[in-house]
Amino acid sequence: MEECLNEGQVSGDAEIGTAMTHFLKVCDYNVPHGKKNRGVSVVTSYKYLIVNPSDNELFKARVLGWCVEWLQAYFLVADDIMDHSVTRRGRPCWYKQDNIGMIAINDAFYLEAAIYKVLKKYFRQEKYYVDIMELFHETTLQTVIGQGLDLLTAEEEVVDFSKFSMSRYDAIVKWKTAFYSFYLPVALAMHMAGVQDDASFDKAKEILLEMGHFFQVQDDYLDCFGDPAVTGKIGTDIEDNKCGWLINQALILCSSTQRELLETHYACKDPASVKIVKELFVELDLKKRYRDYEEESYQKLMAKISSLSSPDLPKEMFISFAEKIFKRNK
């Protein structure tokens, strides 16, 4: 990667080395330390689509996988700033590092730009080069739309539950998470494998967006009830006034008195208020409601995989993806 990025240096400009040294630190801190499920899924999906791929083909699938991880890092660095998060992957968020602060905004831009530097180096001669370039650009736009909808719904410290609904939540999840986390890795593998018909991409998208919704509900649950020592992140959805699955379920189930408590204490930074909201979630038995949802959603997902899979879209490819997230705790 260092060789690839250094190709972008301006000839004869010694000062550019200072920036590149910093950017390599940005990459090292933010890209390789997650679970890497998205990146690995490019490779595993490709193996399901192509029997006995060559070493060179597998290498290129791995490069695409790392590009997905760069995209993930770009989103997370920016998201942590917007959400005022404290930790990420068990360490302080990048913007919380000494002497970083709002430099992290430019670092996020760099992480995105690095994707296209890598794609140009390794895929420029491939017939699917334009397809994967457009896919990354389209996915970035979709995710930005979802993030915008999320932020516009969750005004800072202003509780307006009239903006919250399961339909709004579903839209946020679809655009912010499902496209880049689930559809992108498989679609990249499909382009590499030479899949060209729109119907196959549409079927894959239907399965993978459903999977992405399932994943985000899990993420919302873990933000509230997960163990930070396991998840690597201190959840802030309650403090950040997020239109999450738990609060939307609570608003469906709560009494008028309980709703008043939520209106008073949701979106408050005070730990005592956060504790009251979490206790109310427990009182409403949202842990059981989540477990029921998880099982029901998994069965629904398996049925969809069975009905939409085909020889060109082997169901094992989707099942392997789903099994990575079912009953996860981080």
Side-chain angles (χ1 to χ4, degrees), residues 14 26 34 38-40 59 66 80 94 112 136 157-158 183 185 190 198 217 235 238 254 265 313 318:
V26 173
R38 294 166 182 83
V40 170
F59 170 78
W66 277 113
D80 286 342
W94 178 244
E112 183 195 20
F136 270 104
E157 298 180 1
V158 178
Y183 179 65
M190 291 170 68
D198 291 340
V217 173
I238 293 173
C254 68
H265 296 285
L313 291 174
F318 298 108

Side-chain angles (χ1 to χ4, degrees), residues 26 28 90 142 172 196 214 236 245 295 320:
V26 173
D28 183 64
Q142 290 163 336
I172 293 171
Q196 295 181 331
F214 174 46
T236 61
W245 187 83
E295 186 60 37
S320 70

